[in-house]
């Protein structure tokens, strides 16, 4: 079963309708047993066997029930991706309405819609080829039917037969150190504060280290966030050597018994060589002080920057080992395709996605929730 059908079954109310039907059939069966002959009872037994067989099929589909926690996260995706639905997805729906049959003109327009949605040219070319093959192999002529295939193929491209994890890797032998990289203005500092707050609620003792000693006011900004969130803090003066600050910060964090150190870094991507050397020095410091080295290096990207954000991801990947993406301001874009482009073109999974300004709006990335939030009106 494809992701489109799975989400439709999860969120379309099919399970509730099925339960009501089973209850009605059960009541009818009980009344018939009281009034009918043995022959009628045998017929009812056959109907029960058929019901069991249907239940076995449903079990094979393995639809997980929606917990209250899952429902709350779905609401966040639903609300946060409403702008993308109103832009990107509404254009897809309009395209489906305007064409009664699939032809080259249809694919040309679909290609343009996907590119304008920041899916990425290379990814769009791959996706269009896959769709054309499915149309040819499955003899699909109706655009209404193809929209289901489109959602399934987008999911397949993101997953790419890999075991994906959106969880942060924590060091089980020593203190966990997480570096945050990204250009200025993407929401890096607030992202660090939000993640620190989440970790604190998980009963982890956290320290914020101000490793961005180049941007004016960066140290004080992170210090203020640490006070708001209620975490430990370490920061030197402006223009201090970031690696020295990090060294002293980790030493202090260990003395205080911290579980996690979150490190802000400079975003001077315009000088890639210097930035590469700086991050290399910082990783060396971590390796000297921490058994197992750096736990994660998370790249923070502003979703509203579109293709520029993808270029940033490619550039930072050349500089250092990026383990995950934090995609901020996703609620502010009407395009929505950048998630697919980053994974497909850069090969780095999205671990967090920002769907609003509140702390709870920064959530662990879930591809199924994302697909549902984006294509809800089509499902």
């Amino acid at each position: 079963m494809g992701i489109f059908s799975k989400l439709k079954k999860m969120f379309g109310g099919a399970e509730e309708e099925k339960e009501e039907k089973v209850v009605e059939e059960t009541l009818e069966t009980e009344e018939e047993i009281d009034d009918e002959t043995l022959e009628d009872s045998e017929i009812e037994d056959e109907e029960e066997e058929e019901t069991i067989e249907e239940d076995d099929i449903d079990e094979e589909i393995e639809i997980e029930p929606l917990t209250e926690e899952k429902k709350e996260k779905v609401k966040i995706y639903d609300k946060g991706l409403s702008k993308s639905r109103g832009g990107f997805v509404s254009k897809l729906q309009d395209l489906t309405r305007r064409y009664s049959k699939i032809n080259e003109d249809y694919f040309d327009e679909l290609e343009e819609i996907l590119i304008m949605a920041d899916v990425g040219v290379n990814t769009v070319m791959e996706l269009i080829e896959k769709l054309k093959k499915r149309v040819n192999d499955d003899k699909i002529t109706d655009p209404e039917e193809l929209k289901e295939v489109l959602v399934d193929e987008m999911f397949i491209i993101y997953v790419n037969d890999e075991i994906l994890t959106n969880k942060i890797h924590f060091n089980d032998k020593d203190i966990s150190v997480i570096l945050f990289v990204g250009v200025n203005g993407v929401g890096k500092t607030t992202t660090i504060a939000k993640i620190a707050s989440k970790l604190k609620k998980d009963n982890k003792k956290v320290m914020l280290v101000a490793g961005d000693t180049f941007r004016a006011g960066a140290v004080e900004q992170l210090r203020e966030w640490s006070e708001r969130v209620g975490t430990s803090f370490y920061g030197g003066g402006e223009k201090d050597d970031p690696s020295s600050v990090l060294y002293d910060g980790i030493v202090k964090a260990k003395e205080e018994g911290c579980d996690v150190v979150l490190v802000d870094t400079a975003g001077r991507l315009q000088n890639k060589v210097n930035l590469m050397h700086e991050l290399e020095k910082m990783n060396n410091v971590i390796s000297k002080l921490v058994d197992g080295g750096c736990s994660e290096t998370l790249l923070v990207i502003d979703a509203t920057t579109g293709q520029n954000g993808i270029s940033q991801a490619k550039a930072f990947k050349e500089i250092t080992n990026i383990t995950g993406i934090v995609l901020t301001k996703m609620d502010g874009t009407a395009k929505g395709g950048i998630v697919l482009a980053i994974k497909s073109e850069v090969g780095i999974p999205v671990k967090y996605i920002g769907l609003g300004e509140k702390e709870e709006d920064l959530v662990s990335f879930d591809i199924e929730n994302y697909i549902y939030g984006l294509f809800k009106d089509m499902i």
Side-chain angles (χ1 to χ4, degrees):
M1 178 174 60
I3 187 67
F4 187 96
S5 299
K6 180 179 180 180
L7 293 176
K8 190 172 184 179
K9 192 170 184 65
M10 285 174 66
F11 300 107
E15 289 298 323
E16 293 179 1
E17 292 176 5
K18 179 186 166 186
E19 288 176 3
E20 292 173 0
K21 184 178 180 182
V22 169
V23 170
E24 290 173 0
E25 289 177 351
T26 302
L27 292 173
E28 290 173 3
T29 301
E30 289 174 352
E31 291 173 359
E32 289 171 1
I33 289 174
D34 291 334
D35 301 326
E36 298 295 325
T37 62
L38 179 62
E39 181 179 353
D40 291 329
S41 297
E42 290 173 351
I43 293 173
E44 291 161 11
D45 288 339
E46 291 176 2
E47 291 175 348
E48 288 175 2
E49 289 175 4
E50 290 175 0
T51 302
I52 292 171
E53 289 175 1
E54 289 173 2
D55 288 343
D56 288 342
I57 292 172
D58 285 337
E59 288 175 5
E60 291 175 5
I61 292 174
E62 297 181 351
I63 302 295
E64 295 181 5
L66 283 176
T67 62
E68 288 303 316
E69 182 182 1
K70 177 84 171 175
K71 288 178 182 177
E72 285 304 311
K73 287 186 177 180
V74 168
K75 287 180 182 177
I76 294 173
Y77 275 85
D78 185 359
K79 181 181 177 182
L81 293 172
S82 60
K83 196 168 183 179
S84 291
R85 280 201 307 275
F88 167 44
V89 179
S90 65
K91 291 177 182 177
L92 288 178
Q93 290 177 302
D94 178 62
L95 179 66
T96 301
R97 284 192 292 265
R98 287 190 291 105
Y99 282 86
S100 58
K101 288 187 177 181
I102 298 168
N103 54 32
E104 280 302 315
D105 289 338
Y106 172 88
F107 278 118
D108 287 343
E109 287 198 45
L110 177 59
E111 181 180 306
E112 183 179 350
I113 291 171
L114 292 170
I115 290 174
M116 294 301 294
D118 285 336
V119 173
V121 175
N122 294 334
T123 308
V124 170
M125 294 301 103
E126 178 187 354
L127 182 57
I128 292 295
E129 286 304 311
K130 285 177 176 288
L131 291 175
K132 286 183 176 180
K133 187 176 187 304
R134 287 284 296 272
V135 165
N136 184 60
D137 292 348
D138 300 342
K139 303 295 187 291
I140 300 172
T141 59
D142 186 0
E144 189 69 28
E145 186 178 350
L146 189 62
K147 73 179 185 183
E148 179 175 339
V149 179
L150 171 64
V151 174
D152 288 346
E153 289 296 342
M154 290 180 75
F155 176 80
I156 291 169
I157 286 177
Y158 185 88
V159 175
N160 195 29
D161 292 328
E162 298 174 10
I163 299 174
L164 301 177
T165 177
N166 59 4
K167 298 188 181 300
I168 297 296
H169 169 71
F170 291 105
N171 193 332
D172 56 3
K173 299 177 183 178
D174 206 337
I175 193 169
S176 298
V177 181
I178 301 174
L179 290 177
F180 288 81
V181 300
V183 301
N184 296 332
V186 296
K188 192 169 43 173
T189 309
T190 52
T191 294
I192 293 172
K194 288 177 181 179
I195 292 178
S197 180
K198 291 177 183 295
L199 293 175
K200 189 182 174 187
K201 289 176 181 176
D202 289 337
N203 297 316
K204 293 186 183 294
K205 189 170 183 181
V206 182
M207 174 178 280
L208 307 188
V209 173
D212 183 0
T213 60
F214 293 91
R215 181 170 65 87
V219 175
E220 284 306 309
Q221 186 183 15
L222 194 66
R223 188 196 306 274
E224 288 175 8
W225 273 114
S226 74
E227 292 172 355
R228 288 190 208 175
V229 176
T231 68
S232 297
F233 173 82
Y234 186 82
E238 290 186 6
K239 308 304 179 185
D240 281 359
D241 177 45
S243 296
S244 298
V245 173
L246 177 59
Y247 185 99
D248 294 339
I250 293 175
V251 170
K252 184 183 178 185
K254 285 193 167 191
E255 290 174 352
E256 294 185 5
C258 291
D259 302 301
V260 185
V261 176
L262 305 182
V263 187
D264 190 13
T265 65
R268 301 173 301 150
L269 189 57
Q270 64 272 21
N271 194 330
K272 290 172 64 175
V273 175
N274 285 356
L275 184 57
M276 179 175 64
H277 290 159
E278 182 183 307
L279 292 172
E280 187 177 352
K281 280 176 63 181
M282 296 178 85
N283 274 294
N284 288 338
V285 166
I286 298 169
S287 296
K288 287 177 183 177
L289 295 174
V290 179
D291 184 8
C294 186
S295 296
E296 294 265 6
T297 300
L298 301 179
L299 171 61
V300 184
I301 292 177
D302 180 346
T304 64
T305 60
Q307 291 300 306
N308 190 33
I310 297 169
S311 298
Q312 291 169 23
K314 291 177 179 178
F316 272 99
K317 188 180 180 182
E318 292 174 3
I319 293 172
T320 192
N321 179 35
I322 304 296
T323 58
I325 301 286
V326 180
L327 198 58
T328 65
K329 309 177 188 179
M330 195 68 207
D331 57 310
T333 177
K335 297 184 177 182
I338 190 172
V339 168
L340 189 66
I342 287 176
K343 179 60 173 57
S344 177
E345 298 191 22
V346 190
I348 303 173
V350 177
K351 293 205 171 184
Y352 283 98
I353 184 169
L355 296 163
E357 295 183 0
K358 298 178 182 178
E359 178 204 319
E360 58 266 28
D361 294 329
L362 180 69
V363 295
S364 296
F365 182 71
D366 184 306
I367 183 61
E368 290 187 358
N369 286 350
Y370 172 77
I371 291 289
Y372 174 73
L374 193 59
F375 293 103
K376 173 186 174 184
D377 296 340
M378 289 172 53
I379 294 175

